[in-house]
Amino acid sequence: MRELVFALEYEPGCNRVADALADHPDARVRSLSLHATAERLWRVDHATGTPEALDAIEDAFLTGDYYADCLATEDCGATQTTRVLDRTDDTLILYSDWERTPTCASVPHIARDHLGDGVLFETRHEGRHYTWRLIHSGDGDVAAFFDALEVAVGECAQMEMLRTADTTTSAGGRDGTPSGLPPAQEAALQAAVEHGYYESPREVDVGELAEHLDVPRSTLTYRLRRAEEHLAKQHVAGERVAEERLASH
C-alpha cells in the first residue's frame, strides 16, 4: 500500500469553504468519512471554530450551487444533499452527498479513475489549504492522477506535493528530511529559526518572513503550523517510548 499526501491552495472566490475558512483562520474542517463510487460521492465532515465561523462554514456547505469536493468552477447540475447532523457552540458536523454529472470532477473520482478502487481518503481544510491524504494499492498511475487533477483545478488552485511513501515506511525521515517533514515545511521552519521568528521578542513577523521567502503569507502560516504540529507529536511520541522503556526496566 502507498500513501499519497498533497495540498490544494485555493485562490479567492474559487471554493466557498476555503473562502469561509480564510475569513476565520482558527476554524478547521476535517473529514470523518469520505466515499465515492463512479457516479456518487458522500462524506461527513467535522468543523470546529467560533459560532461566527461555523455559521460561515455551514452557509458555504448549504449554498445551492456548492457541491462538496466538486472541482467544477460553476454549477455542474448535480443532484446534491447537504444537511447538518449536529451543531454546538464550537463544533459542526455535516453530511454531504451528490450525484455526478458529465461536467463534475472531484479528487476522489479522479483518484478512482487513475489509482483504482479501494482508495482511502482523509482530508483537512485550514484557510485556503485543503490537504488530502490518500492510501492506495500502489498499482495505479500517480503521474496520470496528478496530470488529470491539474487540468481539473485549472487556475483555481495550486497543488503542492507533501509526501509519497510506502505505508510501512517509518515516520522519521520518510520525506527526505531527518525530521520527517516535507521539504517545503522543513525549509519554512529552517528560515523561521534563522530569521528569528521564534525568538522572544520576535525579530521578524510572519508577513516579513513570507515576503523574504517569496510565498503567500497564508502558505507560510500553513507550512509552519503543520511543521509545528508534526514535531510536537513526534516529541510526545518519543517521550512516551522513553517512559515505556524505563518502566520495562
Side-chain angles (χ1 to χ4, degrees), residues 1-7 107-108 110-112 114-116 119-124 130-138 140-147 149 159-168 174-175 182:
M1 300 295 288
R2 298 284 296 177
E3 178 188 38
L4 180 62
V5 185
F6 63 94
V107 171
I110 295 172
R112 291 186 79 257
H114 296 283
L115 303 179
V119 182
L120 302 178
F121 304 95
E122 180 182 66
T123 68
R124 181 181 296 204
Y130 196 7
T131 304
W132 286 81
R133 179 173 182 259
L134 278 58
I135 303 295
H136 62 103
S137 66
D141 190 335
V142 173
F145 164 71
F146 275 110
D147 287 344
L149 183 58
M159 289 191 297
E160 179 182 0
M161 170 65 75
L162 299 178
R163 181 168 64 252
T164 178
D166 192 284
T167 55
T168 60
R174 65 181 174 185
D175 303 308

